[in-house]
Amino acid sequence: MTEPHSKTSRPFLHVYFSLRKYFPLLVILLLVSLTFFYGQKGLNILNSLKVRPADLLGFFGKSTATLSSQNGVTNFLILGLRGEGVDSPDLTDSIILISLNQKTQQVSQIGVPRDLWVPSLQAKINTAYHYGEEASAGSGIKLAEASILETLGQPINYTLVINFNLFKQTIDLVGGIDLNISPGFQDKEYPLPDMERALPVSSRYETITFPEGKNHLDGEMALKFVRSRHSVGDEGTDFARSARQQQVISALKNTLFTKEFLLNKTKLEKLFKLAQDNLSTNIPSSLYPVLARIGLDQDGKSFKNISLSTSPDSNGLSILYNPPVSKFKGEWVLLPKDNNWNALKQYLQNQLTPL
């Protein structure tokens, strides 16, 4: 269950204490890395934030010892909410499964298609959080986790729910991100905020263009990059959106781990405030130092990106398909090929824990 947020108007150090148990993994990772990479200067910054040594003891132990797991695999679910100002703000436009294989230390990133059908809900998986919250405040995480287990066979150990404002404003905070975009694409029907019912219909949209090659994106354009879904060709599919989300997350991670950001107290303060306003999680605060160590151990390593798509993978396997919309009340949904849910689960398990 998500912990309640506290509010304060005191100076930064007091803000830190009031928010400490709500910090996301990334924020704690940044704090610990100050000490790890920058020696006494990093320690001085941590001391100014009044971070107690006891809070960091987990950083120096066996990094995975206290993590919940199944067969040595710990799964994190990241849910990106549409946010206020749009229809159905608590639908999850982005669903990403991050899986840590404790034996190999490999981190895998799986973009879960938002149109994946959940038989028990008789609805798409991007509605699970919404229906959970609708039934009982704080139950959205539980229903989303249950839906991942039902469809993909992967138990979820920890979940983070992120408003897209955090995504956008964090990218602006670091000065934008650099992406190598291939292929380039154009979307002539990107929806404008608060214009869903405007007339003529053409006034509801804008045209956005991402040329092929190196692009520097601010938060607003990065958000459009990952949410675009009406371009011509493959880039208009949810599978392409999922791949773009994974690309942006990797780029943001690399940008945050710079000396310029880690030693900028003002920017860290702003990041803490963004986390307070836009993130909730069921990760207990006692695990933050442990997760920070894991994050540092992953620095410089690449994520393994696993695609769930209707297109064949590198082995020629197509794991999903689109059934006729007439069977789903006109909805475009995704099912495992041949309706074989066990095959989908086994495919993903083989990717996460190869022999």
Side-chain angles (χ1 to χ4, degrees), residues 140-322:
I141 284 179
K142 293 180 180 179
L143 190 55
E145 291 177 343
S147 297
I148 293 292
L149 178 60
E150 177 184 347
T151 56
L152 302 183
Q154 289 297 311
I156 300 300
N157 304 102
Y158 307 105
T159 296
L160 298 93
V161 182
I162 301 173
N163 188 299
F164 273 127
N165 287 331
L166 176 62
F167 172 87
K168 180 173 68 174
Q169 293 178 41
T170 299
I171 290 176
D172 284 337
L173 184 62
V174 300
I177 56 174
D178 292 319
L179 295 180
N180 186 21
I181 296 177
S182 180
F185 64 95
Q186 184 178 76
D187 182 346
K188 296 182 178 181
E189 295 184 3
Y190 189 86
L192 291 167
D194 303 318
M195 298 290 285
E196 292 87 356
R197 297 175 178 83
L199 293 175
V201 173
S202 60
S203 66
R204 302 176 186 179
Y205 307 107
E206 66 172 322
T207 296
I208 56 175
T209 302
F210 296 94
E212 183 160 355
K214 186 175 181 180
N215 286 253
H216 183 79
L217 304 183
D218 62 11
E220 184 68 27
M221 289 307 295
L223 184 58
K224 292 177 179 180
F225 178 71
V226 301
R227 298 185 73 178
S228 171
R229 55 184 313 205
H230 294 291
S231 64
V232 176
D234 291 342
E235 288 305 302
T237 67
D238 273 348
F239 307 120
R241 291 173 73 245
S242 178
R244 294 198 296 269
Q245 290 164 10
Q246 293 173 334
Q247 183 181 9
V248 167
I249 288 175
S250 295
L252 179 57
K253 176 180 73 73
N254 293 337
T255 305
L256 284 169
F257 280 95
T258 63
K259 183 176 181 179
E260 291 73 22
F261 185 85
L262 293 176
L263 296 181
N264 191 317
K265 184 178 177 181
T266 299
K267 289 189 175 182
L268 287 177
E269 176 184 356
K270 291 179 179 179
L271 185 58
F272 299 156
K273 184 62 168 65
L274 288 175
Q276 177 198 24
D277 294 340
N278 297 288
L279 181 145
S280 59
T281 182
N282 59 6
I283 299 176
S285 58
S286 60
L287 290 181
Y288 291 156
V290 176
L291 295 174
R293 174 58 182 267
I294 293 171
L296 288 175
D297 288 343
Q298 290 297 318
D299 186 34
K301 299 179 182 178
S302 60
F303 287 173
K304 176 182 180 181
N305 290 317
I306 300 173
S307 175
L308 298 179
S309 170
T310 56
S311 301
D313 65 8
S314 57
N315 296 316
L317 294 174
S318 298
I319 199 65
L320 300 176
Y321 87 107
N322 309 117

Side-chain angles (χ1 to χ4, degrees), residues 14 140 338:
H14 297 285
D338 301 322

